[in-house]
Structure formats: C-alpha cells, structure tokens
C-alpha cells in the first residue's frame, strides 16, 4: 500500500492513462476502442455506468474515465463457464477478492450449483427455466418469493419483469433504489408531487448558483464535472458541501480540451465547506435562518428577500416552517453542522446573490436516518425563492446506476400507485396484487426468518450491496432457490441457497440478436430523458441471452402464454415498448419518439408548477433537527470515543464492481482495507498513521459487527468522522439502522469505536 498526496486535477492525463490501462486489461483492445467511440452516441449504446445526461455536442467523445472502465470491464475476452468452475470449488472462490471474481470474465453459459462437489455445472436454458418454474409454483403464497432488480436493467427488461412478477401475484420488488435514492423519492413526492428531479441538463447552462451536497462526481459520475466546469467558467457560483475534500469538486481538466490539458484545467468550486456527517440539514437550516432575518428586515422597508408571490400562489405550510426555523438555536446548528455561523452566513450570501439556483445531491445525503427531512429542507429553501419551474433552477438528485430511475418508472416498486396497477389491469386483463410488497431490508428479514424461500436477482450483487453482510449471507443461504441473472461472476453467486442458478445475460455493448433482428433497449437518465441503446459488437455470446429473453423464458415456464405472449415480446422489443406506451404516462408513441436524436423528455409535473400532492400545492415540511447524529441510547453502549463512519467508493470502483486498487485522487493505492481519519483523532487515540485497527459498530441488539486489520490513513476529514470503502465496511451497517420514512440503510452514519488490532499474527 502507498499513500501519496495527489496534487493534480481530476481528469486530465491521469484519466487518459487509466483509460489506456483498462483497455489493455480487457484483452480486447481493438473491439473496445470501437465500443468507446459508440458510448452514449446516437445509434450506439448507453454507458453501463452512471445516469448523468448528455448534451447534443457532435464530434465529442461521450465517455469518461470510469465509463471507459465499465465498458472495458464488460467487454472483456475472458469467459467463465462450466469448465472454469470444474477447477474451483465455491468455498475456495468465496475466499477470493471481489476484484478477482469479476476479473475472471463474462459468464458464458447457464450454471447450476451441485452441492456434492461444491461446484457450479453447466445446465441447459430450458432446464434452468423449468427449475425456477417448479420452485415458484410450489410456493404456498407468491409473496414467498423476492424479485430483486439492479439499476442497470433496461426499461424493456424492467417492464417485462414487473409484469411477470405481478402476474405471478406479488409486489415483492426489493430494488437497488431502496439502498440509494429512496429518500429522494419519498421526500420529493410528498413535497412537490413527483419523486424525480425538476431540472434538465440544459438548466445547468443557465444557473447562477449550483449548490452541491454529499457527492463525489470525480469518481461516481465524472461527466458531471464537465457540466460544472462550464458553469464555473461562465461565472456561476459552485458551492460544495461535502464531508471530504474531493479533488473532482476542486479542480478539473477536461481530457478533450487541448488548452486545459496544457494549462492544468480549471477550478470548479467557489467555496468548499466540509460539514460533519449528517450535518447538511443543519447547514441549510442555518442558511434559511440567515435569510429569514434578512427577509424580516426587508419587510420593514417594504421590500422582500423571499419570493412571496410564488409562495402565496403555489405553497402551503410556510408559517409553521418559519416558526420551526426561528425556534432552532444557533448552538445546535453549529454543533451539528460543524460549520461556524460565519461560514453558514457566507453560504447564505452566495445563495442570495444567485438569481437561479440548482441544488444537487447524491448518496452522501440519502443514507442517513434523517435523509428525508434533509431533502425536504433543500426543497423548502428552493420554494422560499421560487427556484422550481424556472430555467436554470430546481432540484437535482443525481442517480447512480444508468437506469435506476427508469426501473422505478417502469413499475419496479414495492409500493405501486393505484393508477399504475389499474393501467396494468386495463392493458393485460388481470388483477394485479394490491398489497405492498417487500423492500430490500424487508426482503432480507423475510428470507432470514424463512418466510421467503426463493430469491431472483435481475442483475446486481446483492450480498455486496446490502447492509449487515453476515445476516444477508445467512438470509440467502436459507432460501430453497437463488437465481442470479448477471454478466460477470460476483460475491452473490457464491452465497447460494439450497439450489442455485447463474444465468448469463448480454451487456450493453453486445449486439442483441433476436428472431426479428437486432434489438435496442431504452434507459432513462437523471433528467427524465429516455433514449435508445443498442450494442455494437458481435462476440462469442452464443450461450448468453438478453435480459428480456431470460425473463420471458422464466415467465413462459412458470405461467404459460396467457395473458401475455412472453416469447413474442422477447423476439421483438417494439412489442414491449408498445405495452409500455399503453400503460405508463409519458410514453405514448414511444417507438416513434425514439427515432429522434437524443430520445425524448418525459416532462416533470413540478417543473410545470403542477403539484401532484394531496393538497395540489407544494408543501413546506417542518422538521426539528435531530437531537444528535448518534442517539443517546447508542452513545450509552460504550465508554470509548464514538466515531461516525461513512462507507464510500474508491476511484477504481463503480458500485460493487472493483476495477483495481488505485484511489488516485485520494492518493491511496494497493489496498482497500483502510480507514480515513482526522490526524488529531489518530493522535488522541494514541495511534499513528499506518497502524492497524479493528472497527466495531454500536447497535442496541449488541450483536458483534466488526471489521479487523484495517490500516489508518490520515486525511482531511472533520474530527469525529471516519470513512472506509464498501463493500468491505458493509458488515458494520446494522440491518435495522434505516432512514426515517425511507428504510434506506444508514451507510453514511454508522456509530463505531476504534481499537488497535490484536490480530498482529494475521497481518504477518
């Protein structure tokens, strides 16, 4: 392991060098160069990475460094089949790293687990479908099965999947959204009537201020840096609130700009604040408190700071909210936020100076106990100034996976709206189940108790993505059958039920040839743009099937051809899109709309000042600040100094996929078992940088949740806060530690204690 401060910009020569390295690692260089030239282009494929949108800029490459990693990782020449598994037991493979598992290559044929040999063996597609159908149909209740979805699934796959599951009789849709932006959907739906962001990518060209909360775009969605850089260059105030100083938000060099490559790029953030973990709500409460005082002073002079006419026309709940603001003491705001009154006043100045403001956030906000309240605090601030529904202003949750928003639009939702269920009934002439299904946390609990007996995953890496790893592993092991539809081998495939299947699917880069010819699929980005994606490279994918074809095969074997001709839909995705158009608002004439470059915009009701709330008005929500980020009952569990830990990604990582061991912008390479800690905190614990520590989380059930032999790295992070990579630190997240109203695991707010490791022998 090496730790060396990184002094360069995000992007730049480092990004080009990394892209070249991963091209070579794919062992498929010529083909992947062709792939990259088609990434996010018309008549090409959508990047399998993040969900950031695209500007129509002819002649420009439309991939970033991490997008290139994703493409090269998927389009490798390596293959994993029955012959591969003949060499290794599942027990041995489960001891290997996540990097090792995915590096072995693309899954190449259907596989079934053999308990006697502890190995996977080849199985025919039809035998696999029959096994799934047999286990599903023997259940006494359809709700004894769990149907997980990853955000990488296309709209067509997601729609067909939810149609099959609801025809089967269940709303059990544990989904990756439950673990990332569920709080955004809940908060926004209640406040403005839609769970999606209100801006388009064009709005960033007109914003005077962009307030960025809880995200690291340099690693997680690098194409956003180009958007922010252009906004900063034309004079917009980019104001960042993030627990760590992330290089991508400080300075960026666009690899497609010769001038920037020679000059070292541009500064992005005008003012960078580092609040404590969980302190963002207090920050915004302080901003509002400053601006409220100014508004009250302005009223005495027959002026105003807030947009009173907008509030009077469109909003309810202002009086109670402002009373809550006035009653919030500055002492609590500064203690909880970790910022001074002067710093918060400076942020308020920058907000007030900006006539049009976008507030944007990601998982640094959504994975706390009070995430819903925090996002509604963002919304309150925007409503006070009328910053919703005007060009250059609005709310922008930045989604992670490339179609995580589209999956929810397609009906991957354990709590579907009645209008959606009614539309399904009208289109397909069956009565969908009406009761709410299981989210991710509830699904784990149901499998753990034995209530649920079958688990099917459409993509993803459930074990690595979910909290409380030991409990999740046990839950899956309890199942009679686990099924994983995937492109590459991962940890979840080795955490098998009594029976287990791995079904290899095509990726975004692969040509999807069906009976009626090559097929395209669609995705929805963070800005509600829907566009087509079509693989461009033919390779040895003969025993892989597309996700729609796999779903159709399972559905046909389980339910037969009524009321849906599943196999016909899988042979021609236009038929799936026609069904979407007949069922989901905004998708009318979908097949024709997709012919226009860039796809089509679904629209946003709140951006049109149509408030689809219970009162048909935008709603101010009044929440008290938490008494403490670490509640008193948890503090009482230990006399040791308690830290608040967040899990995060390295730069060589996307979600649970580990591309390598270099976290370039943080200056760390060679190891992932690390703890980022404030230098003074290290000293106060009588430790030194580089020492190994054990980290134990605190939770009332007193179950031992611990990670051991992690190396301390001194870092610019607020005192009392620490950080570690996931999935390595996921064992510390209690399954029952969830966000209020969202059930999202609190992976950015884990109470832990640190002790010098006692397992020296294990290190040596």
């Amino acid at each position: 392991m090496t730790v060396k401060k990184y002094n360069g910009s995000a992007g730049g020569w480092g990004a080009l060098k990394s892209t070249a390295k991963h091209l070579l690692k794919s062992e498929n260089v010529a083909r992947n160069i062709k792939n990259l030239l088609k990434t996010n282009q018309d008549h090409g494929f959508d990047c399998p990475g993040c969900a950031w949108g695209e500007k129509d800029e002819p002649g420009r490459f439309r991939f970033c460094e991490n997008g290139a990693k994703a493409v090269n990782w998927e389009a490798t020449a390596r293959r994993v089949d029955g012959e591969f598994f003949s060499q290794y037991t599942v027990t041995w493979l489960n001891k290997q790293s996540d990097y090792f598992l995915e590096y072995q290559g693309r899954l190449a044929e259907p596989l079934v687990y053999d308990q006697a040999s502890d190995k996977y063996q080849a199985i025919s597609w039809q035998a696999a479908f029959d096994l799934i159908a047999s286990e599903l149909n023997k259940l006494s209740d359809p709700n004894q099965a769990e149907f997980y979805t990853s955000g990488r699934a296309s709209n067509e796959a997601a729609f067909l999947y939810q149609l099959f599951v609801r025809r089967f009789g269940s709303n059990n849709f544990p989904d990756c959204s439950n673990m990332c932006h569920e709080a955004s959907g809940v908060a926004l739906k209640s406040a403005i009537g839609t769970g999606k962001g209100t801006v388009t990518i064009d709005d960033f060209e007109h914003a005077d201020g962009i307030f960025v909360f809880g995200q690291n775009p340099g690693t997680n969605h690098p194409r956003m840096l180009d958007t922010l850089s252009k906004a900063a260059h034309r004079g917009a105030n980019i104001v960042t609130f993030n627990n760590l100083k992330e290089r991508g938000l400080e300075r960026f060099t666009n690899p497609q700009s010769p001038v920037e490559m020679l000059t070292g790029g541009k500064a992005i953030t005008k003012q960078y604040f580092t609040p404590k973990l969980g302190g963002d709500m207090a920050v915004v409460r302080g901003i509002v408190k400053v601006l409220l005082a100014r508004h009250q002073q302005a009223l005495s002079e027959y002026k105003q700071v807030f947009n009173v006419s907008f509030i009077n026309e469109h909003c309810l709940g202002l009086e109670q909210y402002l009373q809550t603001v006035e009653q919030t003491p500055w002492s609590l705001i500064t203690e909880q936020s970790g910022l001074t009154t002067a710093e918060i006043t400076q942020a308020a100045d920058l907000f007030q100076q900006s006539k049009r403001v976008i507030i944007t956030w990601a998982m640094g906000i959504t994975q706390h106990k009070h995430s819903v309240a925090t996002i509604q605090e963002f919304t309150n601030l925007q409503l006070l100034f009328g910053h919703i529904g005007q060009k250059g202003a609005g709310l922008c949750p930045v989604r992670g996976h490339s179609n995580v928003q589209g999956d929810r639009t397609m009906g991957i939702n354990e709590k579907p709206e009645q209008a959606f269920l009614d539309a399904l009934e009208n289109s397909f002439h069956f009565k969908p189940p009406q009761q709410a299904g299981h989210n991710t946390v509830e699904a784990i609990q149901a499998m753990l108790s034995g209530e649920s007996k079958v688990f099917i995953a459409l993509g993803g890496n459930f074990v690595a993505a979910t909290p409380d790893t030991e409990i999740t592993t046990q839950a899956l092991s309890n199942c009679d059958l686990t099924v994983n539809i995937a492109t590459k081998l991962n940890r979840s495939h080795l955490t098998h039920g009594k029976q287990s299947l791995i079904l290899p699917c095509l990726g975004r880069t692969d040509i999807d040839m069906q009976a009626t010819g090559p097929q395209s699929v669609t995705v929805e980005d963070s800005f509600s743009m829907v566009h087509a994606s079509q693989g461009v490279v033919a390779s040895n994918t003969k025993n892989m099937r597309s996700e729609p074809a796999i779903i159709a095969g399972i559905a046909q074997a389980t339910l037969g051809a009524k009321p849906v001709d599943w196999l016909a839909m899988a042979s021609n995705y236009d038929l799936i899109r026609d069904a979407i158009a007949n069922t989901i608002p905004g998708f009318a004439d979908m097949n024709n709309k997709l012919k226009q470059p860039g796809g089509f915009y679904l629209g946003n009701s709140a951006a049109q000042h149509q408030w689809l709330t219970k009162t048909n008005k935008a709603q101010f929500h009044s929440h008290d600040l938490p008494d403490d980020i670490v509640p008193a009952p948890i503090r009482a569990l230990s006399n040791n100094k308690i830290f608040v830990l967040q899990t995060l990604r390295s730069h060589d990582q996307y979600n649970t996929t580990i591309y390598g061991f270099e976290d370039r912008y943080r200056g760390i390479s060679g190891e992932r078992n690390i703890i980022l800690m404030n230098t003074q905190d290290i000293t106060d614990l009588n430790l030194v940088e580089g020492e190994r520590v054990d980290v134990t989380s605190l939770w009332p059930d007193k179950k031992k949740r611990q990670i051991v032999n992690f190396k301390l790295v001194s870092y610019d992070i607020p005192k009392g806060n620490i950080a570690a990579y996931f999935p390595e630190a996921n064992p510390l997240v209690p399954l029952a530690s969830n966000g209020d109203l969202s059930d999202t695991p609190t992976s950015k707010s884990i109470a832990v204690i640190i002790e010098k490791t006692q397992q020296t022998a294990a290190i040596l």
Side-chain angles (χ1 to χ4, degrees):
M1 177 184 176
T2 61
V3 179
K4 184 179 180 180
K5 185 176 180 180
Y6 181 79
N7 294 314
S9 298
W13 297 108
L16 292 180
K17 180 179 177 181
S18 175
T19 298
K21 181 181 76 173
H22 285 273
L23 263 172
L24 295 172
K25 188 188 291 188
S26 74
E27 302 178 14
N28 216 358
V29 176
R31 188 167 287 157
N32 279 344
I33 289 175
K34 179 180 179 181
N35 278 341
L36 290 175
L37 294 176
K38 287 291 188 178
T39 303
N40 296 321
Q41 302 281 354
D42 288 330
H43 306 295
F45 61 89
D46 194 78
C47 177
C50 77
W52 193 252
E54 295 297 334
K55 284 290 296 179
D56 185 14
E57 297 175 296
R60 286 174 60 87
F61 299 135
R62 295 184 180 179
F63 63 87
C64 64
E65 174 191 351
N66 276 11
K69 291 176 185 177
V71 169
N72 289 317
W73 198 247
E74 176 178 285
T76 176
R78 291 168 167 259
R79 293 292 181 262
V80 172
D81 52 18
E83 183 179 349
F84 168 88
F85 274 101
S86 70
Q87 305 172 58
Y88 308 109
T89 65
V90 167
T91 301
W92 183 86
L93 286 168
N94 215 2
K95 295 176 182 177
Q96 310 313 307
S97 70
D98 295 278
Y99 172 81
F100 173 89
L101 296 177
E102 292 210 25
Y103 184 68
Q104 302 314 303
R106 290 285 297 277
L107 294 162
E109 63 181 337
L111 300 162
V112 63
Y113 180 66
D114 176 64
Q115 286 191 344
S117 63
D118 190 30
K119 295 179 178 180
Y120 277 95
Q121 301 175 348
I123 185 175
S124 73
W125 278 104
Q126 192 57 52
F129 294 151
D130 290 343
L131 174 58
I132 297 169
S134 174
E135 291 298 319
L136 288 176
N137 285 327
K138 73 167 58 169
L139 297 174
S140 59
D141 184 332
N143 290 310
Q144 292 178 324
E146 305 292 344
F147 300 90
Y148 179 71
T149 318
S150 161
R152 194 188 65 81
S154 67
N155 287 329
E156 289 73 15
F159 183 83
L160 205 61
Y161 193 48
Q162 66 81 29
L163 182 60
F164 156 60
V165 173
R166 291 196 164 98
R167 180 64 185 88
F168 178 67
S170 179
N171 282 318
N172 283 354
F173 285 110
D175 175 44
C176 63
S177 292
N178 299 145
M179 294 179 285
C180 56
H181 268 285
E182 191 70 33
S184 297
V186 171
L188 295 177
K189 183 71 175 176
S190 176
I192 60 174
T194 176
K196 301 181 182 183
T198 66
V199 302
T200 68
I201 196 167
D202 290 333
D203 284 311
F204 283 84
E205 296 183 356
H206 302 277
D208 302 304
I210 302 171
F211 277 52
V212 180
F213 286 88
Q215 57 183 296
N216 177 20
T219 289
N220 300 330
H221 30 271
R223 285 180 293 145
M224 183 181 182
L225 294 183
D226 184 44
T227 302
L228 293 177
S229 179
K230 289 175 179 176
H233 182 68
R234 62 173 176 76
N237 293 325
I238 312 295
V239 184
T240 295
F241 301 86
N242 200 62
N243 183 247
L244 303 175
K245 286 288 183 69
E246 301 288 11
R247 182 49 49 91
L249 286 165
E250 294 179 304
R251 190 172 187 85
F252 172 64
T253 298
N254 188 336
Q256 296 190 59
S257 169
V259 173
E260 290 189 28
M261 293 292 283
L262 292 173
T263 60
K266 304 172 184 176
I268 288 182
T269 295
K270 183 167 186 174
Q271 192 65 47
Y272 202 125
F273 299 102
T274 53
K276 293 179 183 178
L277 282 170
D280 302 274
M281 181 180 176
V283 170
V284 179
R285 179 63 55 84
I287 291 173
V288 174
K289 198 171 180 72
V290 170
L291 297 174
L292 174 58
R294 293 177 183 175
H295 180 71
Q296 290 169 335
Q297 177 61 37
L299 289 177
S300 69
E301 302 169 3
Y302 303 100
K303 299 177 183 178
Q304 62 184 41
V305 171
F306 299 155
N307 189 335
V308 175
S309 61
F310 175 89
I311 294 169
N312 289 341
E313 182 179 356
H314 296 289
C315 304
L316 291 175
L318 175 67
E319 184 177 346
Q320 182 180 351
Y321 172 63
L322 294 184
Q323 184 178 12
T324 302
V325 172
E326 289 186 314
Q327 291 174 349
T328 306
W330 271 110
S331 58
L332 181 58
I333 290 172
T334 55
E335 189 281 327
Q336 201 163 103
S337 69
L339 302 184
T340 65
T341 305
E343 288 174 315
I344 293 173
T345 300
Q346 185 182 12
D349 291 341
L350 291 168
F351 190 95
Q352 189 176 0
Q353 291 167 11
S354 306
K355 293 182 179 179
R356 294 165 292 188
V357 177
I358 292 172
I359 294 181
T360 176
W361 67 92
M363 289 165 62
I365 298 301
T366 62
Q367 292 184 322
H368 292 270
K369 181 174 174 56
H370 59 292
S371 292
V372 169
T374 299
I375 295 163
Q376 288 176 341
E377 196 75 13
F378 295 166
T379 308
N380 291 342
L381 177 56
Q382 293 293 71
L383 292 175
L384 286 171
F385 286 82
H387 287 326
I388 297 178
Q390 63 167 311
K391 199 170 189 65
L395 296 159
C396 180
V398 179
R399 312 287 178 173
H401 242 144
S402 63
N403 199 42
V404 65
Q405 184 162 296
D407 286 354
R408 185 55 60 90
T409 302
M410 291 296 107
I412 302 297
N413 190 343
E414 77 280 2
K415 297 177 182 177
E417 294 186 4
Q418 191 60 49
F420 177 80
L421 296 179
D422 291 344
L424 281 182
E425 183 174 1
N426 290 335
S427 294
F428 296 99
H429 310 296
F430 74 93
K431 187 74 172 179
Q434 303 294 299
Q435 70 186 75
H438 293 154
N439 61 27
T440 296
V441 169
E442 292 164 340
I444 295 171
Q445 293 168 334
M447 291 186 289
L448 192 65
S449 69
E451 174 190 343
S452 289
K453 304 176 185 302
V454 174
F455 174 82
I456 300 177
L458 179 60
N461 184 351
F462 191 78
V463 168
T466 49
D468 225 336
T469 308
E470 182 180 331
I471 285 178
T472 298
T473 299
Q474 182 59 55
L476 287 173
S477 299
N478 288 352
C479 290
D480 292 337
L481 174 67
T482 55
V483 181
N484 284 278
I485 301 167
T487 56
K488 302 187 82 173
L489 183 65
N490 66 44
R491 185 72 54 198
S492 295
H493 308 156
L494 309 176
T495 309
H496 54 80
K498 298 177 182 66
Q499 300 180 90
S500 185
L501 290 166
I502 303 173
L503 304 181
C505 66
L506 299 177
R508 292 272 176 84
T509 59
D510 300 317
I511 292 176
D512 181 357
M513 185 65 69
Q514 300 298 329
T516 59
Q519 304 295 311
S520 65
V521 295
T522 60
V523 298
E524 179 185 349
D525 65 26
S526 283
F527 306 108
S528 299
M529 289 293 300
V530 177
H531 46 91
S533 173
Q534 187 167 0
V536 296
V537 174
S539 58
N540 56 332
T541 59
K542 59 183 179 180
N543 215 5
M544 306 175 195
R545 292 193 180 183
S546 71
E547 289 175 324
I550 294 171
I551 295 163
I554 295 172
Q556 178 73 21
T558 306
L559 301 173
K562 293 182 180 180
V564 179
D565 189 339
W566 307 102
L567 300 183
M569 280 193 163
S571 71
N572 183 354
Y573 299 173
D574 281 353
L575 299 179
I576 304 176
R577 288 187 281 270
D578 285 340
I580 293 171
N582 290 332
T583 309
I584 302 177
F587 287 86
D589 201 26
M590 181 181 182
N591 279 309
N592 282 326
K593 286 181 179 177
L594 288 171
K595 296 175 183 178
Q596 60 193 37
F600 62 95
Y601 178 50
L602 286 176
N604 184 279
S605 55
Q608 300 299 316
H609 293 171
Q610 298 172 14
W611 315 105
L612 304 181
T613 62
K614 293 179 180 178
T615 61
N616 294 319
K617 294 281 189 178
Q619 181 68 50
F620 284 96
H621 284 273
S622 301
H623 300 283
D624 293 330
L625 294 184
D627 293 332
D628 195 333
I629 299 303
V630 179
I634 293 180
R635 286 199 179 276
L637 296 174
S638 177
N639 293 322
N640 293 352
K641 179 176 174 59
I642 296 175
F643 292 86
V644 179
L645 178 144
Q646 67 167 321
T647 64
L648 41 68
R649 301 171 183 164
S650 76
H651 191 63
D652 260 358
Q653 175 178 0
Y654 192 77
N655 290 345
T656 59
T657 299
I658 314 299
Y659 301 123
F661 296 88
E662 184 179 7
D663 197 356
R664 186 170 73 248
Y665 299 147
R666 297 189 183 112
I668 300 169
S669 63
E671 185 167 341
R672 291 183 54 81
N673 289 354
I674 59 97
I675 298 293
L676 304 179
M677 180 180 277
N678 182 284
T679 302
Q680 187 59 53
D681 280 335
I682 294 175
T683 301
D684 291 346
L685 290 176
N686 294 318
L687 299 170
V688 296
E689 183 174 16
E691 275 196 279
R692 296 278 176 169
V693 296
D694 299 341
V695 185
T696 306
S697 64
L698 303 174
W699 193 248
D701 65 4
K702 298 184 180 179
K703 174 181 170 60
K704 189 171 185 178
R705 296 176 175 87
Q706 188 176 63
I707 55 177
V708 300
N709 295 334
F710 275 57
K711 182 175 283 190
L712 284 177
V713 175
S714 178
Y715 207 78
D716 185 3
I717 186 172
K719 288 189 64 180
N721 291 172
I722 60 175
Y725 299 135
F726 84 92
E728 288 81 359
N730 283 5
L732 297 174
V733 187
L735 184 64
S737 182
N738 305 317
D740 295 335
L741 304 177
S742 71
D743 249 7
T744 302
T746 58
S747 299
K748 297 293 187 289
S749 186
I750 311 162
V752 301
I753 57 173
I754 306 287
E755 298 172 296
K756 185 175 180 178
T757 187
Q758 300 301 309
Q759 300 186 26
T760 307
I763 304 171
L764 299 176

